[in-house]
Amino acid sequence: MAGINITSVNRQVKDISQEIYAAKLQRDEMQTKSVNKDESSGLQNAVADKLSDKSNINTAFSDTAATLSISALGAEELEKVRDSWNNHPVSALYEKDIPVSKNAEGVYKIGGASFNDEELSAARDLITGVGSQLKNGYLSYRDYAKMEVAHKVVDKCATEGFNEAQAKAISWAMKDYNHNLIRTQERMLANKKTKTNDDPESGKYFGIEVHVPNEVRKSTNEYASTDIATNNDLINKLRDSIKSLDINDKDSVYKYKAQYEEIMRPVYTTQYPLQRNSDIDDIISKDVNEILKLSSRL
């Protein structure tokens, strides 16, 4: 049916289920009490058992909702609505503490894709394995580059090892994982005393200085410059440079090393103005090695 708003219909069908649930449950419970549990009443007992589970209204009333809406929606549209009811967010692919249940078909529905036990385990291992190599804390420019590499690695491995719908959900989950790292940093900064770095040079790359507690302070400075990346244009530039990187091609790797050095040398020069060029060379070399090591699975 052209032009139908599935999200709106989904909400309407759920509302109908909620309204009739109490009345229907009460009726069936009364009927169950008056029926002997013999073979002739087996079907009604099964229905009553399903309806008596108050923990999942959507599952208990999926058939009722289908009956109410099939003539209005059509089979294809209804299937989209019903699919959404048993669909877990993509965070279930990397947050193993989140309870994940199978749907009526005996599979896990996550991010619109179906996974069996083996596939779910493999997807989680892929994301958490790559994600464990990323920093969870204050994010530097190197960390943002590594996050982009991690997404590229997961996207490629998912495309090669899973079906199209699963690969899309896995790629989306890795992107969500990276966004969570950024949100973690935001929460950390919200709980810390900070101020703007007003230095004309370093301030354009490192716009935040964090308060240093007395017990760890080595000087009279209450706030210290950090390696927290704050220049969004530079962050985007680093991420874009990863997109053209082919780890299996020596020329591509060489070009990327030169590109990273060109981007980051002025940044590190402002952060460490008293350091020798050789020291900054070592910092850049360490960055590139970490980034390429992460991308070794490509």
Side-chain angles (χ1 to χ4, degrees), residues 79-290:
E79 186 62 26
K80 293 179 181 179
V81 172
R82 294 182 64 180
D83 272 355
S84 70
W85 293 359
N86 293 317
N87 190 23
H88 298 286
V90 292
S91 56
L93 289 175
Y94 61 83
E95 292 184 357
K96 294 186 178 182
D97 294 335
I98 295 180
V100 183
S101 58
K102 293 182 179 180
N103 62 15
E105 286 72 39
V107 296
Y108 303 98
K109 199 66 173 293
I110 302 174
S114 298
F115 295 83
N116 60 29
D117 291 291
E118 184 179 355
E119 291 165 342
L120 176 60
S121 178
R124 283 176 162 177
D125 288 344
L126 172 60
I127 297 172
T128 57
V130 174
S132 66
Q133 301 178 60
L134 302 177
K135 183 179 178 181
N136 193 344
Y138 294 139
L139 302 176
S140 67
Y141 292 103
R142 174 185 63 251
D143 295 319
Y144 279 100
K146 291 176 69 175
M147 287 162 61
E148 189 66 30
V149 171
H151 185 251
K152 188 172 185 176
V153 169
V154 168
D155 189 64
K156 185 174 188 296
C157 292
T159 300
E160 294 175 349
F162 297 83
N163 65 43
E164 184 177 354
Q166 291 170 339
K168 183 178 180 180
I170 292 169
S171 180
W172 182 13
M174 190 65 230
K175 187 174 183 179
D176 192 60
Y177 185 97
N178 285 342
H179 285 166
N180 276 339
L181 295 180
I182 298 173
R183 287 192 288 267
T184 296
Q185 174 178 258
E186 291 172 349
R187 287 193 296 269
M188 290 174 60
L189 290 173
N191 295 326
K192 293 284 183 67
K193 290 176 63 177
T194 63
K195 75 179 186 70
T196 301
N197 184 345
D198 295 324
D199 182 274
E201 290 298 320
S202 65
K204 63 184 177 181
Y205 299 122
F206 309 100
I208 298 175
E209 292 187 351
V210 179
H211 182 262
V212 181
N214 290 331
E215 57 270 22
V216 298
R217 193 182 306 164
K218 295 182 181 180
S219 68
T220 58
N221 295 328
E222 289 189 48
Y223 292 84
S225 296
T226 68
D227 64 348
I228 301 174
T230 57
N231 189 315
N232 289 324
D233 289 339
L234 186 59
I235 291 171
N236 292 332
K237 190 174 183 180
L238 286 168
R239 284 180 160 177
D240 288 341
S241 69
I242 297 296
K243 294 177 181 178
S244 59
L245 171 63
D246 180 0
I247 191 63
N248 297 315
D249 182 77
K250 291 184 179 180
D251 291 338
S252 179
V253 172
Y254 181 80
K255 181 179 178 181
Y256 177 75
K257 288 181 178 180
Q259 188 175 12
Y260 186 87
E261 179 176 0
E262 180 182 356
I263 295 172
M264 291 303 299
R265 182 169 292 280
V267 178
Y268 284 134
T269 299
T270 61
Q271 187 178 20
Y272 308 111
L274 302 180
Q275 294 290 331
R276 296 173 299 181
N277 286 335
S278 59
D279 294 330
I280 294 179
D281 290 341
D282 290 341
I283 295 172
I284 293 174
S285 178
K286 181 181 178 181
D287 283 359
V288 173
N289 287 337
E290 283 191 24

